Amino acid sequence: MKQTIGNVGVLNLLNATEQSVQAYERIGNVGFVLFRSGQSHLLAALNIGNIGKTVEVPEDYSYYNGTLEIDRNYLESIDQPMKMVVNGMLIFGHDVEAEHLNNKSLDFIVNGEIFAPAKLAGQVSRQFSRGESKIEVYEGAPPRIENGSITLSNAFLEAAEEPVHLIVNGKLAIPKDIDTELFKARIKKIAVNGLLSVHQEQEALIYGKMDSAPNGVIEVIPAGYRILKKSLRVNSRSIKSFREEKLMTRKPLVFEADVTREAVDQAISRIDSRSFIVCHESIEDVIYEKLERLETEVLSYASHFILIDGEEQWSDSQFRALEEPISLIVNGTLVLDGDVTGETIMDKLKTLDVFGEVEVDSADIKGALQGKIRVNTGRLGLKDDNRQNDKTLGSSNIGELIL
C-alpha cells in the first residue's frame, strides 16, 4: 500500500522508476530535489507539498550529500576524471597545492559552501564556479565539522591547539559554565545548521563568533533559569531544596498531593514549560500564577492520578482494582484489553489526558473514553486502525529519501 512521508531534506530521484514513485501517496515539504534529464515526469507524478530547490544532475555525474573533505592523499588516490554533484560542504585541506588541482580532472557542481585556504581561493573560485556555492577562505586549521547533538565544554576548548572554526549540523548547546575567556581565545567562528541553545547572558558572546544567524532555530534560555533535563516529580520533601527557583523544562513536571500552596510559593517563582504540569487541584491556581507560557497544560487531579510514560496494557480487572476513580495521563502508549467494559470506564476513570497513544478493541469503548477526555494531542483509536495506519503511513521526517 502507498506510503505518506513527512518532511524530506533531500529527495533523490537519480535512480527512480515509475514503479518506485507510485509507492508513495504523498510527501510533505522537500528542501532539495535531485533528478536526471528525462525524469521530470516522475517528479510531476509525486504529490509533494513545497519544494525548495531542484537540481538536474548530468547523466555522467555522481552525487554526494554531506561534507566532502579533500586533502593531498585524497587527490593522489584519484586515477581517473571525477565528475560529481556535491550537496553540502566541500573542504580543501592546507596540504593541497594549486598544481594538485591542475593535474587532476575534477569537475564538481557544488550546492553549498566551499572552504579553501587563502592560497587556493582564486583557483577554487574559477575551477568550481558551477552550482550555487559560497566560498569561505580560512586561515589556520580547516573547519571542524560536528554532526548530531553537541554540548560545548571547557574540556573541548582546552584541547584545541589553535582557534577552531566550528560547524555543527544538528544541535549545539552552550552550557552556563562555559569559560568566557577560553571561548574567546579558542573559538574562531561558529556556524550552526539546526538548533542553537544558548543562555541569555551568553548571546553577545556567541553572536560575536557568527557571520550570520543559525540556519535553523535559536533557543535562548532566559537569565536565572534552572534547566530541568528530565521529567521531575516534586513532593513535600524534595521541594524544600528549591529557593525561589525559575524552572525551564521540556519534560513533564509532576507535583505530588502532599505539596502545599505555601511550599510552592516559597520554592518556585516562575515556570517556563513546553510540556505539561500535573498537580493537585488545591494548588492549581498557584501553578497558573507561576507560568511563563499561558499555553502550558496544567492537569489537575482530585485525589489520585496515574501517569503512563512507557507502554502498558490494562485489563478490566486492573481498572476494577482501583479504589476510586483516577485521572489517567497517557504520555506513552496504553492498550486496553478486549474485556474492558464501558461501565468500568464510567466508574473508574475521572479524566483522560492523551499525549501519546491509546488503543482499544471497539468503537463503544472508544466512545466511552472520549467522554472522559480533557486534553487530546495524541491518538485514540481502534487497534486495527492503528495497525493499518502503521502499514500505510511513514509520517516521520527524513533527511534523504531515495526512490
Side-chain angles (χ1 to χ4, degrees):
M1 301 188 72
K2 292 189 175 184
Q3 298 184 51
T4 297
I5 304 295
N7 298 323
V8 174
V10 177
L11 177 59
N12 187 336
L13 299 178
L14 299 182
N15 297 309
T17 64
E18 292 185 1
Q19 289 72 27
S20 65
V21 166
Q22 290 173 359
Y24 293 87
E25 179 73 27
R26 188 178 190 282
I27 298 175
N29 299 324
V30 175
F32 196 83
V33 179
L34 293 163
F35 67 99
R36 296 195 189 277
S37 176
Q39 289 185 315
S40 57
H41 67 290
L42 298 180
L43 181 59
L46 288 166
N47 180 14
I48 300 177
N50 298 315
I51 297 177
K53 182 180 179 182
T54 60
V55 172
E56 182 177 336
V57 179
E59 193 62 38
D60 54 346
Y61 279 63
S62 61
Y63 161 67
Y64 187 91
N65 182 46
T67 300
L68 178 61
E69 299 186 49
I70 295 180
D71 57 15
R72 185 170 179 174
N73 290 333
Y74 182 96
L75 292 173
E76 290 178 347
S77 69
I78 298 174
D79 56 6
Q80 59 184 354
M82 177 178 287
K83 296 182 177 182
M84 183 184 296
V85 173
V86 178
N87 178 47
M89 295 181 188
L90 179 61
I91 302 176
F92 291 93
H94 267 299
D95 59 354
V96 177
E97 301 293 339
E99 56 266 26
H100 295 143
L101 297 180
N102 289 329
N103 294 335
K104 297 294 182 179
S105 180
L106 299 179
D107 189 356
F108 290 163
I109 301 174
V110 182
N111 295 291
E113 293 179 292
I114 301 176
F115 292 89
K119 62 182 180 181
L120 293 179
Q123 179 163 351
V124 167
S125 179
R126 293 188 301 271
Q127 188 168 344
F128 306 107
S129 60
R130 299 172 66 190
E132 296 186 10
S133 61
K134 176 184 178 183
I135 296 180
E136 297 277 356
V137 178
Y138 69 85
E139 300 290 346
R144 176 166 176 171
I145 313 296
E146 297 285 352
N147 299 309
S149 182
I150 306 298
T151 298
L152 196 64
S153 66
N154 290 324
F156 175 95
L157 298 177
E158 290 168 355
E161 296 180 356
E162 56 184 303
V164 176
H165 182 175
L166 180 63
I167 299 174
V168 176
N169 300 311
K171 177 183 177 181
L172 174 63
I174 310 296
K176 193 172 182 179
D177 63 352
I178 202 75
D179 187 316
T180 301
E181 295 306 316
L182 193 59
F183 180 89
K184 290 178 180 178
R186 300 296 173 86
I187 295 295
K188 181 166 57 178
K189 283 185 180 181
I190 284 182
V192 179
N193 301 307
L195 172 65
L196 171 62
S197 178
V198 58
H199 290 266
Q200 188 177 30
E201 307 95 303
Q202 302 164 333
E203 280 189 275
L205 175 68
I206 304 303
Y207 292 154
K209 297 292 186 177
M210 304 178 74
D211 289 337
S212 60
N215 180 22
V217 178
I218 305 173
E219 178 187 62
V220 179
I221 301 169
Y225 273 77
R226 176 175 175 179
I227 311 301
L228 304 179
K229 296 184 178 180
K230 60 182 181 179
S231 180
L232 180 66
R233 280 182 176 258
V234 181
N235 56 36
S236 60
R237 297 183 302 279
S238 63
I239 199 170
K240 294 177 181 178
S241 64
F242 298 126
R243 291 291 182 272
E244 295 186 349
E245 298 274 4
K246 293 181 179 180
L247 305 179
M248 176 175 281
T249 182
R250 291 179 175 271
K251 302 293 184 180
L253 178 58
V254 179
F255 291 89
E256 302 288 357
D258 60 355
V259 176
T260 65
R261 300 169 61 88
E262 294 75 16
V264 173
D265 262 332
Q266 293 173 10
I268 300 172
S269 60
R270 299 296 289 170
I271 301 175
D272 188 338
S273 172
R274 295 175 184 265
S275 182
F276 58 84
I277 298 173
V278 182
C279 69
H280 191 270
E281 60 185 17
S282 63
I283 63 171
E284 181 179 9
D285 60 327
V286 180
I287 297 299
Y288 271 113
E289 292 173 3
K290 308 290 183 181
L291 290 182
E292 194 73 40
R293 300 174 183 274
L294 294 179
E295 64 269 25
T296 300
E297 294 286 357
V298 178
L299 313 175
S300 64
Y301 57 93
S303 55
H304 297 288
F305 74 92
I306 293 178
L307 173 61
I308 296 176
D309 264 328
E311 182 173 345
E312 296 188 21
Q313 185 166 344
W314 283 32
S315 64
D316 191 81
S317 60
Q318 191 166 351
F319 272 106
R320 286 293 175 187
L322 299 171
E323 295 181 358
E324 55 186 296
I326 61 164
S327 294
L328 186 58
I329 304 165
V330 181
N331 198 38
T333 300
L334 174 63
V335 180
L336 298 190
D337 287 347
D339 65 349
V340 176
T341 67
E343 181 183 0
T344 297
I345 297 297
M346 298 303 295
D347 290 345
K348 295 299 183 178
L349 194 59
K350 187 174 181 63
T351 59
L352 174 63
D353 301 298
V354 184
F355 296 92
E357 184 174 352
V358 178
E359 295 186 7
V360 299
D361 269 339
S362 69
D364 290 345
I365 298 302
K366 179 179 177 181
L369 290 174
Q370 286 174 329
K372 299 290 186 176
I373 284 181
R374 178 171 51 176
V375 176
N376 184 10
T377 60
R379 184 170 70 173
L380 167 61
L382 301 179
K383 295 176 184 177
D384 290 341
D385 289 345
N386 290 344
R387 284 193 288 268
Q388 184 75 358
N389 285 338
D390 289 340
K391 292 178 182 177
T392 59
L393 296 180
S395 60
S396 60
N397 297 329
I398 297 176
E400 180 176 4
L401 177 61
I402 301 175
L403 300 189

